Amino acid sequence: MLSDVTTPQDLDDRFRETLAALPAAERRRDPADPVTDDAPLTGAQLLDLFDAQVTSRQLDLAGRWLRSFGEGFYTIGSAGHEANAAVAAALRPTDPALLHYRSGAFYCLRAAQVAADPAPSTEPSTESESTTETEPTSARVPSADAVVSEAEPSGSEQVTEAAGGFTAYADAARDVLRGMVASSLEPIAGGRHKVFGRADLAIVPTTSTIASHLPRAVGMGLAVERLRRLDSAGRRTGAGVRVGSGAGATHAPWPPDAIVVCSFGDASVNHASATAAFNTAGWYDHAGLRIPVLFVCEDNGLGISVRSPEGWVEATLRAKPGIRYFSADGSDPVQTYAVAAEAAAWVRRNRRPAVLHLRTVRLMGHAGADAETAYRSPAELAEDLDRDPVAATARLLVDAGVATGEELLTRYDETGWQVRRLAEEVLGEPKLAGAADVVSALAPRRPVRVARAVADAAARASGPGAAARAEAFGGKPPELAGPMTLAQSINAALADGMLDHPQMAVFGEDVAAKGGVYGVTKGLRDRFGAARVFDTLLDETSVLGLGLGAGLAGMLPVPEIQYLAYLHNAEDQLRGEAATMRFFSQGAFRNPMVVRVAGLAYQEGFGGHFHNDNSVAVLRDVPGLVIAVPARPDDAAPMLRTCLASAAVDGSVCVFLEPIALYHTRDLYADGDGEWLAGYPEPGGWVAGHVPIGRARVYRVGSADDLTIITFGNGVRMSLRAAAVLAEEGVGTRVVDLRWLAPLPVADIIRESSATGRVLVVDETRRSGGVGEGVIAALVDAGYVGAARRVAGVDSFVPLGPAARHVLVSAEAITDGARTLLAR
């Protein structure tokens, strides 16, 4: 017998030897009976778990085979983690799941559950708000009857029908294989990545970034519970839960009593994202808010080659306040199922978070290129092999008299043959054919529908919603309030957004009771209640994670990041999670979100780098992300309406970057002129004032024939002041406010630049990696042949006090740059 496992062939040979050596039980047991007197699983159900585990194992072997001749592109397998099939069996197939990349057996079992009951009800349950504990789960494990012909006799002859056992898992196997070979027919990511996900299975695709999906899981739990409570209240009034507004509204995607399951590896407990997620779940639990999330830590003791110290994972998980701890041995399928069912029932009944610590092993290393012998001894490998969960399930089946080792080996071989046959089929399937195919699912833009959504909102606000709007504004709608500042205009637009989007929620640090540190959200909680406007804990990863989960659950989240510099603590939640959801799911899942960020520099007498951050390069680098920068009050409201409509219509992820220094600015040219104020349009004017994504605004000063200044944010005000000075010198200027940093308004840039032949790019961000680089590149790509020059911030952090003037753009520097350009 082999002493260790270093190759797929080794693992296959060892498993065969194990099955061949299993002694037959003294008597056969009816598969309908429990496998032991007190076991929660029948023989038939345990056999289904075995089939799911074997399918996953054979998929791992097929992945290594495909890689051996260059046709497989993903070899992180699930071997040793197949106990997660029992976790899937302990849940309902309508419980949304975010899965670890070693969750092959879970995926196979979930797919078989849904195949056995292809249309599980998602209608609101009739349970009271205090959900009762039920047996969710064992009935959901596909029974032997679901995978063999009715003509087949019961008893021992059932288990010999190996092909029938695989039939329930064939679709799941094909899904996984298509992901491995990057087939464009793969049902979730379409060949863009190998992920576990399918909308009809309620499995949300996740990236390979360690623990980055855990904050989203917390947000999903918060949203599921909030929607459940709203649905309960709606049923009492006959209303029910609606997601979105207008004709496009739909029911919430999961049943009201659903729980969220989120699996991850043991090394992930050390990651900042995991710490944030656990802390947030516990924090909300301590505060009395309910988060029905079951975290599942699949602990194999290794993070690639780095060992988790003995006892560390358990000590860490047990110490998480507000999170109930459960543990099970992943080499014992009955115990795993029983504890998982207990944990799931506890979360479902109490609507509170829990963690299931599942002790597993890792077989065949981290991935195809990993040579475990470099950091693990043969004795360690042999110990892990002795805890092979698939072999453990086989032993239990044989000991219980449900099957013989020979019969199970026949099932194993037949599944292997079927998986290999499917692998050969998917090899011939098409791949993504070009860049257009790759990006097609990334971030759809339907500007006509967005404009229509704005028009519909205006019609509702001036029609059937007029009374509610008047009440929300205390009888004085904002259009009657006179000229407004930027902050006041954003506040009014947020209120109008809350009225038009019932599932919109505004949250972040200090946004509720205080109304934001700059008063931008002042009064919103009083108007719309603490369920829709609420303060969060001080952790940007968690703030964005709540938004990610809430958007996925059907809400329209508007989280606030208090300062741009603080966003960098959590930027992967936007890059790796938010922006990739449509990319990895071809639009089957989406996380609409409008992230408000107070940012950029020029705060007088306050701050330094952390309150005057001018770094936006990391945002502009994220594919599909919309970045809006309103400079003036009369742009802020329509741009915010556009972002909300785009999120609702297209599922867009928008960053609404608000220049702090302009929040309360009133004047443009001279003190008291009020030229930076603007009136708020009544709903009847929203359509005429609609600002599409990617369209600039042009100001013409003087003849506007001599010079084009392209800028944004604080640069707009400074450039207009500089243009006024130049006008006195006889220079006519066009000041182009980009308004959108992504996508850039390229057509407007080219048109306005070509009109004068002289372009001055005023970029308040940094010279290296700043917005100006993108503008100049757009001009070059379009064949612009005129003169061009940049005025940009110095490559420096923004210092405290007057020293900031040395590294930031000024109106004087713009004027000087224009004169130099004109002198050429």
Side-chain angles (χ1 to χ4, degrees):
M1 184 172 289
L2 299 171
S3 62
D4 57 22
V5 174
T6 58
T7 70
Q9 188 63 51
D10 292 338
L11 182 61
D12 182 60
D13 289 345
R14 174 62 181 266
F15 186 72
R16 292 174 174 283
E17 291 180 10
T18 298
L19 292 184
L22 292 176
E26 294 181 1
R27 67 181 180 88
R28 301 293 295 217
R29 185 184 294 266
D30 189 327
D33 293 338
V35 289
T36 63
D37 292 340
D38 58 349
L41 290 170
T42 66
Q45 290 167 341
L46 188 63
L47 188 62
D48 287 321
L49 288 181
F50 177 78
D51 284 335
Q53 292 177 319
V54 164
T55 302
S56 178
R57 179 64 59 84
Q58 292 287 8
L59 286 168
D60 288 349
L61 298 177
R64 303 301 177 96
W65 173 70
L66 289 165
R67 177 180 176 272
S68 70
F69 54 91
E71 291 290 346
F73 307 104
Y74 195 94
T75 56
I76 295 180
S78 304
H81 283 242
E82 291 94 349
N84 53 43
V87 178
L91 295 160
R92 298 175 184 171
T94 50
D95 290 329
L98 298 97
L99 297 180
H100 186 228
Y101 49 58
R102 300 197 192 280
S103 298
F106 185 113
Y107 185 82
C108 291
L109 197 286
R110 173 65 67 90
Q113 287 177 317
V114 172
D117 183 10
S121 174
T122 58
E123 290 300 306
S125 75
T126 56
E127 296 179 69
S128 65
E129 193 163 305
S130 134
T131 306
T132 56
E133 183 173 355
T134 61
E135 285 291 333
T137 58
S138 56
R140 293 287 190 178
V141 181
S143 67
D145 293 337
V147 295
V148 298
S149 167
E150 290 183 7
E152 292 296 321
S154 62
S156 62
E157 293 183 48
Q158 284 184 328
V159 300
T160 63
E161 188 57 53
F166 176 73
T167 301
Y169 304 99
D171 286 346
R174 187 180 288 105
D175 292 347
V176 174
L177 289 166
R178 282 172 164 166
M180 290 178 179
V181 302
S183 165
S184 62
L185 301 182
E186 192 271 337
I188 189 68
R192 292 168 183 82
H193 195 41
K194 188 269 184 187
V195 295
F196 292 119
R198 246 174 60 190
D200 63 321
L201 306 184
I203 296 178
V204 179
T206 63
T207 69
S208 297
T209 308
I210 299 303
S212 65
H213 59 299
L214 271 68
R216 182 197 293 274
V218 177
M220 289 172 64
L222 183 70
V224 164
E225 181 62 9
R226 177 182 182 273
L227 293 172
R228 184 181 78 89
R229 291 175 179 271
L230 287 175
D231 184 67
S232 178
R235 278 186 281 112
R236 289 195 294 270
T237 63
V241 174
R242 304 299 285 176
V243 176
S245 59
T250 59
H251 280 288
W254 302 298
D257 61 348
I259 67 173
V260 178
V261 61
C262 176
S263 61
F264 55 96
D266 55 287
S268 295
V269 302
N270 306 304
H271 198 280
S273 296
T275 299
F278 293 137
N279 185 69
T280 302
W283 188 89
Y284 277 116
D285 186 78
H286 185 79
L289 297 176
R290 296 297 178 239
I291 308 285
V293 177
L294 176 61
F295 298 103
V296 181
C297 178
E298 298 182 18
D299 179 6
N300 61 33
L302 289 162
I304 306 183
S305 65
V306 179
R307 302 171 192 270
S308 294
E310 183 66 31
W312 169 251
V313 176
E314 178 177 353
T316 299
L317 295 176
R318 282 187 178 276
K320 301 299 182 186
I323 300 178
R324 179 75 172 267
Y325 177 84
F326 296 86
S327 65
D329 180 358
S331 65
D332 183 339
V334 172
Q335 183 191 107
T336 297
Y337 174 83
V339 175
E342 179 188 4
W346 187 89
V347 173
R348 200 180 308 279
R349 180 180 68 249
N350 294 286
R351 318 303 295 171
R352 297 176 64 189
V355 62
L356 170 59
H357 182 194
L358 188 62
R359 293 175 176 83
T360 67
V361 294
R362 191 186 73 188
L363 305 177
M364 292 198 296
H366 173 70
D370 182 31
E372 279 193 298
T373 52
Y375 55 89
R376 302 189 73 194
S377 69
E380 287 179 285
L381 297 173
E383 287 176 9
D384 276 2
L385 198 59
D386 289 339
R387 295 186 58 226
D388 181 346
V390 188
T393 303
R395 291 190 192 97
L396 187 55
L397 285 166
V398 172
D399 290 346
V402 177
T404 66
E406 182 180 356
E407 290 167 344
L408 295 180
L409 182 57
T410 299
R411 295 179 85 87
Y412 175 77
D413 283 340
E414 180 66 22
T415 297
W417 180 85
Q418 295 281 6
V419 167
R420 184 65 63 90
R421 178 182 62 81
L422 288 175
E424 291 173 348
E425 286 181 9
V426 302
L427 278 175
E429 292 183 347
K431 305 292 193 292
L432 293 167
D437 284 351
V438 173
V439 303
S440 62
L442 183 61
R445 296 276 178 265
R446 294 178 289 186
V448 174
R449 294 191 184 185
V450 170
R452 188 182 304 134
V454 172
D456 291 344
R460 286 189 292 269
S462 59
R469 185 170 184 264
E471 181 181 356
F473 285 108
K476 188 177 182 180
E479 57 265 27
L480 301 180
M484 289 185 169
T485 63
L486 181 71
Q488 291 168 333
S489 183
I490 294 171
N491 178 275
L494 286 170
D496 271 324
M498 296 285 279
L499 289 165
D500 191 56
H501 300 278
Q503 296 306 315
M504 178 174 157
V506 173
F507 53 90
E509 302 165 11
D510 300 305
V511 303
K514 184 180 176 67
V517 294
Y518 295 96
V520 180
T521 56
K522 185 177 181 180
L524 293 181
R525 187 183 70 168
D526 295 338
R527 294 177 189 172
F528 300 102
R532 299 188 65 194
V533 182
F534 56 91
D535 291 322
T536 65
L537 70 176
L538 272 64
D539 175 60
E540 286 72 28
T541 295
S542 296
V543 171
L544 293 179
L546 291 176
L548 290 169
L552 198 63
M555 296 174 63
L556 180 54
V558 183
E560 178 187 293
I561 300 298
Q562 199 167 90
Y563 290 101
L564 178 59
Y566 300 167
L567 176 66
H568 304 309
N569 300 330
E571 59 200 23
D572 187 58
Q573 290 294 297
L574 288 180
R575 184 202 66 83
E577 290 291 315
T580 62
M581 180 52 66
R582 293 192 66 101
F583 187 74
F584 286 146
S585 71
Q586 303 183 94
F589 293 99
R590 60 185 212 165
N591 37 221
M593 188 161 58
V594 179
V595 185
R596 293 183 46 253
V597 184
L600 303 177
Y602 298 99
Q603 286 195 86
E604 292 295 331
F606 179 69
H609 163 56
F610 290 102
H611 302 93
N612 282 283
D613 187 31
N614 62 346
S615 177
V616 300
V618 70
L619 294 174
R620 294 191 64 249
D621 184 56
V622 179
L625 197 69
V626 174
I627 307 173
V629 184
R632 292 180 60 98
D634 48 347
D635 276 337
M639 290 174 69
L640 183 54
R641 274 192 290 273
T642 297
C643 286
L644 292 172
S646 181
V649 170
D650 291 331
S652 302
V653 180
C654 304
V655 174
F656 199 73
L657 182 58
E658 302 165 5
I660 299 173
L662 299 178
Y663 269 148
H664 305 298
T665 296
R666 306 177 67 86
D667 307 321
L668 173 56
Y669 300 113
D671 291 346
D673 66 16
E675 292 287 334
W676 208 253
L677 300 174
Y680 189 88
E682 62 181 0
W686 293 358
V687 174
H690 174 58
V691 178
I693 290 174
R695 288 302 306 272
R697 178 174 180 174
V698 181
Y699 300 85
R700 287 174 170 80
V701 181
S703 67
D705 293 334
D706 302 311
L707 174 68
T708 299
I709 298 178
I710 299 176
T711 188
F712 63 94
N714 294 286
V716 178
R717 183 170 180 268
M718 291 186 291
S719 294
L720 288 172
R721 294 166 67 95
V725 172
L726 293 170
E728 294 177 356
E729 301 172 8
V731 176
T733 305
R734 299 171 183 231
V735 176
V736 180
D737 178 3
L738 294 171
R739 297 196 292 198
W740 307 92
L741 303 189
L744 282 170
V746 174
D748 296 329
I749 291 171
I750 303 305
R751 184 188 64 251
E752 299 301 324
S753 299
S754 300
T756 65
R758 296 184 182 89
V759 176
L760 181 67
V761 180
V762 175
D763 181 4
E764 65 175 289
T765 62
R766 299 166 191 170
R767 191 169 187 85
S768 298
V771 177
E773 290 184 345
V775 174
I776 296 294
L779 290 169
V780 171
D781 289 345
Y784 172 76
V785 295
R789 183 178 177 85
R790 271 194 301 166
V791 176
V794 174
D795 290 344
S796 169
F797 298 107
V798 180
L800 190 65
R805 299 169 190 163
H806 300 310
V807 297
L808 295 175
V809 173
S810 66
E812 292 75 16
I814 297 171
T815 306
D816 290 343
R819 290 172 179 145
T820 301
L821 183 62
L822 291 164
R824 287 183 177 179

